[in-house]
Amino acid sequence: MPDPGDGAQDAHCASDRQLEDVYRLQAPGLARYFRARFRGQEDPEDMVQDLFARLAAGRPLQELRNPQAYLRRILRNYLIDRNRRERRAPAMLPLDGIEPAVPPSQSHAIEVMQLQDRYRAGVEALAPRTREVFLMHRVEEISVKAIADQLEISSRTVEWHLAQAIMKIGEILERE
């Protein structure tokens, strides 16, 4: 007599194989993306593992029509979450009473100005609606829900515009 649990175990094995297939196809490209985007700030393999941990913890892959699209959504949400965490973290540590060993040089100021110029160019290069959503959220500090209500679009659309803005500005900042 067959064990009733065998079907569940077969489904679990199929899901594991499908997850392995998606990993084999997508992980190298994701690692390259993270390596280029974050330039040694974090380990790209760890970031890929985080993404796939989120994918594995979600719905079973056999229930998804397009696991790669679902992975892209997880990537977008991961970048948004990471950005939010960085914004909440203090940007600078207080160095009261500590003098730097080497005073900052003029080249640092020039690099900062160039980075700011590239950032502004990135914002200006955004599609008009994406730029509007991005500026409302980042400059005016309006919540996603309030932006959605004000522009009469869904919160998901606002999040999509923010993710697009972050990715496009990031691409422009990476160019030198």
Side-chain angles (χ1 to χ4, degrees), residues 22-63:
V22 172
Y23 183 86
R24 205 173 305 106
L25 290 171
Q26 300 295 321
L30 288 167
R32 280 191 304 275
Y33 171 78
F34 286 135
R35 202 169 289 113
R37 182 171 175 98
F38 298 107
R39 294 191 180 159
Q41 294 173 6
E42 291 188 38
D43 183 10
E45 276 65 11
D46 285 348
M47 297 171 86
V48 169
Q49 289 300 320
D50 288 344
L51 288 179
F52 277 91
R54 289 181 181 200
L55 179 63
R59 294 174 39 200
L61 293 182
Q62 61 267 23
E63 290 181 13

Side-chain angles (χ1 to χ4, degrees), residues 28-109:
L30 288 167
R32 280 191 304 275
Y33 171 78
F34 286 135
R35 202 169 289 113
R37 182 171 175 98
F38 298 107
R39 294 191 180 159
Q41 294 173 6
E42 291 188 38
D43 183 10
E45 276 65 11
D46 285 348
M47 297 171 86
V48 169
Q49 289 300 320
D50 288 344
L51 288 179
F52 277 91
R54 289 181 181 200
L55 179 63
R59 294 174 39 200
L61 293 182
Q62 61 267 23
E63 290 181 13
L64 301 173
R65 281 186 282 175
N66 188 344
Q68 285 82 8
Y70 189 61
L71 182 61
R72 283 192 299 276
R73 178 180 288 171
I74 290 172
L75 171 61
R76 184 188 78 207
N77 293 339
Y78 177 80
L79 292 173
I80 290 169
D81 291 346
R82 185 179 184 283
N83 190 21
R84 285 180 184 151
R85 279 193 311 272
E86 284 182 0
R87 279 197 330 209
R88 281 188 227 133
M92 301 171 103
L93 296 174
L95 298 176
D96 299 330
I98 299 174
E99 289 294 321
V102 178
S105 68
Q106 184 178 7
S107 66
H108 289 105

